[in-house]
Amino acid sequence: MIEDLEFETYLSISTSKFGIYLFDVRNLKNLYKQELILENQTDDIDYKSLKNFLDSNIFKIEKLIGKFIKNIFIVIDNKKILRLNIGIKKKNYNVSNKKDHIINSLTEIKDLFKLNYRNQKIIHMFVNKYLINDKIYLSYEDNLKYDKIALEIQIISISVEKINDLNKILEDYQINIVKYFDYIYIKNFFEKLDLDISEMAHKIKGGYNLNEVMVVPKNSKKQAFFEKFFQLFS
């Protein structure tokens, strides 16, 4: 029997292809991998074909690990995913506390998005660029002194309706969807590396993109730390 902490299950969904992967987190490889190219492609997810695909593979994975799958991560490629670029420029009145200033700015953007896009759920949020002292930086520079900073932020979200549809599918197997990943984002981020989609998603989940804001539940006991990657509360 494989222990829960030794593996993660990933489900990749698009209008042209499904994939399911049992990922060994210690050795960074798939213990199980099955993909299906869809012959009859539609404008949206073919839920009937997805159900058949899951029927064919869920039991096989559960037999391999010797227990039921409880949680799953979904990588989705869908034209209805919203990608929004937002710029913010603010003065920092407490120059000595630059980190809190940036985190407060990101929190403000997140809350503003949630207020104006109530039918969307954020799945990724990251800083594309920092404009500090009129110079562009692609990552945060901790040792710079400034009283003003501009951020270019990208938010990627999925509709609540789409989440509900997928939840209904996975509920039939008593599987909880832990997190969604945007396929295009993670493929572009690792475009120079030959990795399986499961490994790419695993790395992103672990904070591989140091500019990504990790949105975690308010009751999470995980300690936030700025030096590795941002962490905000939902």
Side-chain angles (χ1 to χ4, degrees):
M1 181 182 295
I2 303 174
E3 296 296 329
D4 286 347
L5 296 178
E6 294 181 356
F7 70 91
E8 295 167 343
T9 307
Y10 290 88
L11 176 63
S12 178
I13 301 173
S14 74
T15 57
S16 60
K17 180 181 178 181
F18 299 142
I20 192 165
Y21 315 87
L22 180 68
F23 186 70
D24 181 343
V25 299
R26 292 185 178 180
N27 299 303
L28 299 180
K29 66 177 183 179
N30 290 315
L31 301 177
Y32 182 93
K33 174 181 177 180
Q34 187 64 43
E35 297 176 333
L36 174 67
I37 304 297
L38 300 175
E39 295 181 359
N40 300 318
Q41 298 182 24
T42 59
D43 291 336
D44 204 351
I45 298 171
D46 184 341
Y47 291 104
K48 182 178 180 179
S49 295
L50 176 60
K51 181 70 165 56
N52 292 336
F53 177 75
L54 293 171
D55 285 343
S56 299
N57 291 282
I58 292 295
F59 175 74
K60 294 178 182 178
I61 294 177
E62 290 179 338
K63 184 177 180 180
L64 176 63
I65 63 179
K67 61 174 65 176
F68 295 118
I69 299 172
K70 296 179 180 179
N71 300 305
I72 201 165
F73 299 89
I74 290 186
V75 181
I76 185 166
D77 181 8
N78 191 271
K79 66 180 182 179
K80 294 183 179 180
I81 286 180
L82 177 64
R83 300 176 183 88
L84 185 65
N85 288 319
I86 303 172
I88 183 171
K89 184 176 182 179
K90 297 187 71 176
K91 183 175 178 62
N92 181 19
Y93 293 98
N94 185 0
V95 180
S96 63
N97 198 351
K98 302 188 294 295
K99 295 178 181 179
D100 283 350
H101 175 247
I102 291 178
I103 291 176
N104 289 338
S105 298
L106 293 169
T107 302
E108 181 180 329
I109 289 294
K110 174 182 67 71
D111 292 342
L112 186 63
F113 177 89
K114 292 173 68 175
L115 179 65
N116 288 278
Y117 294 88
R118 296 181 183 273
N119 65 334
Q120 295 282 321
K121 179 178 176 62
I122 296 174
I123 58 176
H124 298 290
M125 178 177 176
F126 50 89
V127 182
N128 278 326
K129 297 176 183 177
Y130 300 81
L131 182 61
I132 303 172
N133 300 331
D134 297 320
K135 183 177 179 180
I136 293 176
Y137 295 86
L138 298 181
S139 61
Y140 179 75
E141 299 285 342
D142 191 39
N143 59 345
L144 293 176
K145 295 182 179 180
Y146 62 88
D147 60 355
K148 292 181 181 179
I149 185 172
L151 306 176
E152 181 185 295
I153 301 161
Q154 184 170 71
I155 291 179
I156 302 174
S157 67
I158 185 173
S159 71
V160 174
E161 179 183 6
K162 186 69 62 185
I163 288 174
N164 291 337
D165 289 341
L166 291 170
N167 277 334
K168 289 178 183 178
I169 295 287
L170 274 300
E171 282 174 359
D172 289 344
Y173 308 92
Q174 295 182 317
I175 297 176
N176 174 55
I177 301 173
V178 180
K179 181 174 174 56
Y180 289 86
F181 300 87
D182 175 26
Y183 176 86
I184 291 177
Y185 159 51
I186 62 177
K187 283 288 288 186
N188 288 341
F189 190 83
F190 293 103
E191 62 179 345
K192 296 181 180 179
L193 299 177
D194 183 21
L195 302 175
D196 277 327
I197 194 69
S198 52
E199 183 173 355
M200 288 187 277
H202 172 75
K203 288 180 179 293
I204 289 294
K205 181 179 73 71
Y208 199 87
N209 182 359
L210 299 184
N211 283 338
E212 181 162 0
V213 178
M214 310 303 287
V215 181
V216 299
K218 289 183 179 180
N219 61 353
S220 172
K221 294 181 180 180
K222 183 184 291 185
Q223 184 177 358
F225 54 105
F226 187 100
E227 288 72 15
K228 185 177 181 184
F229 56 96
F230 303 112
Q231 193 168 95
L232 300 181
F233 295 101
S234 60

